[in-house]
């Protein structure tokens, strides 16, 4: 589960277990070698075969993140279209 909102947006909260990579940094992040990715983002770089769900505030940027990851060969990705607004309203 990857939150693609900007750091100032995640101050209002995140979905538990989510990791953070702003959508503007996603392509560069997924292009990093595994060791540099881990050092930069603090978690293990996803493998192209991993199941990844992206979310943002309302679903638009997470849809873009999903498309970026797919284009880079990450085939098991999903967009949580309801994103933070849906999750926080139901929690």
């Amino acid at each position: 589960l990857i939150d693609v909102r900007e750091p100032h947006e995640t101050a209002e909260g995140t979905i538990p277990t989510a990791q953070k990579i702003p959508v503007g940094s996603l392509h560069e992040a997924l292009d990093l070698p595994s060791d540099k990715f881990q050092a930069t983002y603090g978690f293990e770089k996803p493998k192209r075969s991993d199941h990844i769900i992206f979310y943002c505030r309302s679903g638009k940027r997470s849809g873009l993140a999903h498309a970026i990851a797919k284009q880079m060969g990450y085939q098991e990705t999903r967009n949580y279209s309801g994103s933070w607004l849906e999750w926080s309203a139901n929690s």
Side-chain angles (χ1 to χ4, degrees):
L1 182 61
I2 298 179
D3 186 335
V4 296
R5 296 177 294 162
E6 295 299 317
H8 70 275
E9 295 176 280
T10 61
E12 67 182 90
T14 60
I15 297 175
T17 74
Q19 303 295 340
K20 300 170 195 157
I21 304 175
V23 71
S25 303
L26 185 65
H27 189 279
E28 180 182 329
L30 294 177
D31 225 15
L32 289 172
S34 295
D35 59 336
K36 289 186 180 180
F37 181 97
Q38 173 106 29
T40 304
Y41 295 100
F43 65 100
E44 186 177 323
K45 181 179 176 180
K47 296 173 185 63
R48 284 187 165 78
S49 60
D50 286 349
H51 293 272
I52 305 169
I53 300 170
F54 294 103
Y55 81 95
C56 60
R57 180 180 173 273
S58 62
K60 184 175 181 181
R61 287 173 288 176
S62 55
L64 176 59
H66 168 68
I68 290 168
K70 284 281 223 189
Q71 184 178 33
M72 294 183 73
Y74 290 82
Q75 297 303 311
E76 298 298 325
T77 66
R78 302 287 181 266
N79 172 25
Y80 176 15
S81 59
S83 282
W84 173 252
L85 291 177
E86 179 180 275
W87 188 88
S88 62
N90 293 318
S91 296

